[in-house]
Amino acid sequence: MNKLDYDFFNRDILLVAEDLIGKTLVFKNTKYIVSELGIYRGEEDTACHASKGLTNRTKILYDEAGTIYVYLCYGIHNMFNIVTGNKGQPQAILIRGLNNIYGPGKITKKLGIDRSLNGKTVFSKDLYFEDNKKTYNFHRNKRIGINYANEIDRNRLWNFKIEEKDLNYG
DNA sequence: TCAATGATTTTG
DNA sequence: AAAATCATTGAT
């Protein structure tokens, strides 16, 4: 019905991110509002894992739109990303907030998402996104945790966030 | 402000 | 083969 399809994700990541913030993630029949996300856009983005080119780890970013990219950060936290854009164009959206839970590692811990989902897609029965026909007010902030990137990329407003007070479920 | 904790990447 | 680097979090 309102399931977000391949064409939705097969666009430039900035367009996808604008539309994905505030949409619903359906994971194992439970619904969550996407309340915060981060954008990592191509080899030119020094904050993006693909800035070092194609490696065994980053090759997943070059895959089809809608592919899931999960990697382990700091040996503890699984990071849940969705690949966007044309195949061969390494872009991914990091899901940083669901409902009032903010923090990419907290989300995957709560939902039980780990690297076994790496390479799967967001077009499955257990995991997909849908349009809830609602609009939310959100803010554009600097990305978090990317001090290793150059100044231009550090200053990009590629973190989108819906404040908790602006969330309404129902 | 700092330790936990391990896959990935580089040779610091 | 060894060291450094992390898209973080929760506890001091």
Side-chain angles (χ1 to χ4, degrees), chain A residues 2-35:
Chain A
N2 302 321
K3 204 163 163 176
L4 303 185
D5 59 12
Y6 174 80
D7 289 337
F8 178 92
F9 293 97
N10 189 29
R11 297 178 290 156
D12 185 86
I13 192 167
L14 296 171
L15 300 174
V16 178
E18 278 189 3
D19 289 341
L20 190 64
I21 188 78
K23 294 291 192 297
T24 298
L25 166 67
V26 185
F27 182 70
K28 294 183 176 173
N29 295 315
T30 305
K31 299 187 178 191
Y32 308 86
I33 303 292
V34 177
S35 52

Side-chain angles (χ1 to χ4, degrees), chain A residues 19-119:
Chain A
D19 289 341
L20 190 64
I21 188 78
K23 294 291 192 297
T24 298
L25 166 67
V26 185
F27 182 70
K28 294 183 176 173
N29 295 315
T30 305
K31 299 187 178 191
Y32 308 86
I33 303 292
V34 177
S35 52
E36 186 182 1
L37 57 79
I39 293 168
Y40 298 90
R41 188 171 182 266
E43 292 179 345
E44 305 77 21
D45 176 9
T46 57
C48 182
H49 286 169
S51 63
K52 300 271 168 53
L54 199 156
T55 67
N56 195 54
R57 175 214 216 182
T58 64
K59 63 186 179 189
I60 201 86
L61 292 169
Y62 294 78
D63 217 322
E64 295 274 10
T67 302
I68 294 167
Y69 170 50
V70 181
Y71 71 95
L72 192 63
C73 184
Y74 294 105
I76 305 171
H77 308 290
N78 287 290
M79 298 284 142
F80 175 41
N81 301 253
I82 300 103
V83 173
T84 68
N86 297 323
K87 187 178 171 75
Q89 211 175 18
Q91 311 181 333
I93 293 177
L94 170 64
I95 304 299
R96 301 187 55 93
L98 291 176
N99 293 348
N100 61 343
I101 310 164
Y102 295 99
K106 289 163 79 171
I107 284 165
T108 53
K109 185 179 181 186
K110 178 169 176 59
L111 272 60
I113 288 173
D114 62 26
R115 292 183 306 148
S116 66
L117 280 180
N118 199 38

